[in-house]
Amino acid sequence: MNGNGKGNGSGALEGAVVAVAGAAGPAGRATVLRLAEAGAVVVASDANATRLAEAVDAARYAHGGATVTGDTVDLLDLGAAREWAERTEKEFGRIDGLVHLVGGWRGSASFAETDLADWTVLEKLLIRTVQHTSLAFQGGLQRSDRGRYLLISAAGASHPTAGNAAYAASKAAAEAWTLALADAFRKAGGEDGSRSAAAILVVKALVHDAMRAERPNAKFAGFTDVKELADAIAGVWDRPAPEVNGKRLWLTPQP
């Protein structure tokens, strides 16, 4: 990596094939751009076809020559997730990463006012999609010499607040599931150590330029900019798999 933390297209991501789930949001767009800049083939997916096309076009425009594809995939359907993984590996010959950026938030003013309908929504968005992408991509990532499964989580998963019960519990469950995948990678590596890794990048919350424009006086204390998150995601490939496998990588001060 060069002095400003950006890749130069000749590092660990050069030629890697990385799938990005939830690629059309601000964090997804920043990540697709960053991975393309680092020389990766980026296979992006999102439920919103229009916004996904915009994200793919932006990355292609910013990094001429980069291979960036987009596909609308229903990640609530395990069969669709498996088909996406199989199609990606068949088309590009390998799969070296899955970045899970599918998000969502619902909360309440107090614990007593928690609406269990929020849990129903968040269980699908934050847990079910992790289950499906991890099950679908495990085999391909395990075959890779640099496979990485990256979950973006929140500090609230470890320190839930009264009004965030459903959100924090969903994030905690997603983290536990990801750590189980990490253990599978560890066991598959045997005495030689794992070549693949599952890791969790933890933020307090994310901020991007549009949010700052809407709230110019807000400080967003402790928030992680989506570009910084994208840099951190790319940087995981620069570290040996055993060093990051099963780890929570904190991008905000740990509470």
Side-chain angles (χ1 to χ4, degrees):
M1 303 183 84
N2 63 28
N4 65 6
K6 297 297 183 69
N8 57 15
S10 59
L13 277 165
E14 178 67 32
V17 179
V18 182
V20 179
R29 290 183 68 141
T31 299
V32 171
L33 281 166
R34 182 67 183 85
L35 294 172
E37 177 193 23
V41 172
V42 185
V43 183
S45 82
D46 200 275
N48 188 313
T50 301
R51 291 173 61 202
L52 176 63
E54 292 171 354
V56 169
D57 287 346
R60 288 174 177 167
Y61 179 78
H63 304 292
T67 300
V68 184
T69 66
D71 194 5
T72 51
V73 181
D74 180 7
L75 295 179
L76 294 177
D77 180 338
L78 178 57
R82 289 192 190 280
E83 183 182 339
W84 181 39
E86 292 166 3
R87 186 169 63 248
T88 298
E89 191 171 7
K90 181 178 181 181
E91 181 174 353
F92 297 105
R94 57 188 299 130
I95 181 68
D96 303 296
L98 186 289
V99 181
H100 192 278
L101 287 163
V102 180
W105 180 85
R106 289 194 178 193
S108 58
S110 69
F111 183 79
E113 295 172 86
T114 298
D115 185 350
L116 289 179
D118 291 346
W119 169 261
T120 301
V121 173
L122 294 173
E123 185 272 337
K124 292 177 181 177
L125 285 175
L126 304 184
I127 304 174
R128 192 69 65 184
T129 57
V130 170
Q131 293 173 325
H132 291 171
T133 54
S134 59
L135 289 169
F137 282 86
Q138 180 199 359
L141 295 176
Q142 210 159 276
R143 286 186 285 274
S144 168
D145 59 353
R146 47 182 159 170
R148 301 288 186 273
Y149 183 98
L150 302 181
L151 174 72
I152 313 308
S153 191
S158 304
H159 294 79
T161 56
N164 271 332
Y167 178 76
S170 299
K171 280 293 191 182
E175 288 194 8
W177 190 273
T178 301
L179 295 176
L181 174 62
D183 190 52
F185 285 150
R186 181 186 62 79
K187 289 176 177 174
E191 293 182 0
D192 295 332
S194 175
R195 299 184 305 167
S196 300
I200 301 162
L201 285 81
V202 185
V203 301
K204 175 182 177 181
L206 295 173
V207 63
H208 50 85
D209 291 344
M211 287 173 64
R212 292 192 180 93
E214 290 171 5
R215 299 171 59 193
N217 297 321
K219 297 189 182 300
F220 299 107
F223 284 38
T224 299
D225 189 278
V226 292
K227 297 184 183 71
E228 294 174 17
L229 173 64
D231 279 343
I233 288 169
V236 175
W237 272 269
D238 291 329
R239 300 168 65 179
E243 185 180 305
V244 296
N245 189 43
K247 299 295 193 300
R248 290 181 176 88
L249 309 175
W250 287 79
L251 305 184
T252 188
Q254 191 168 346

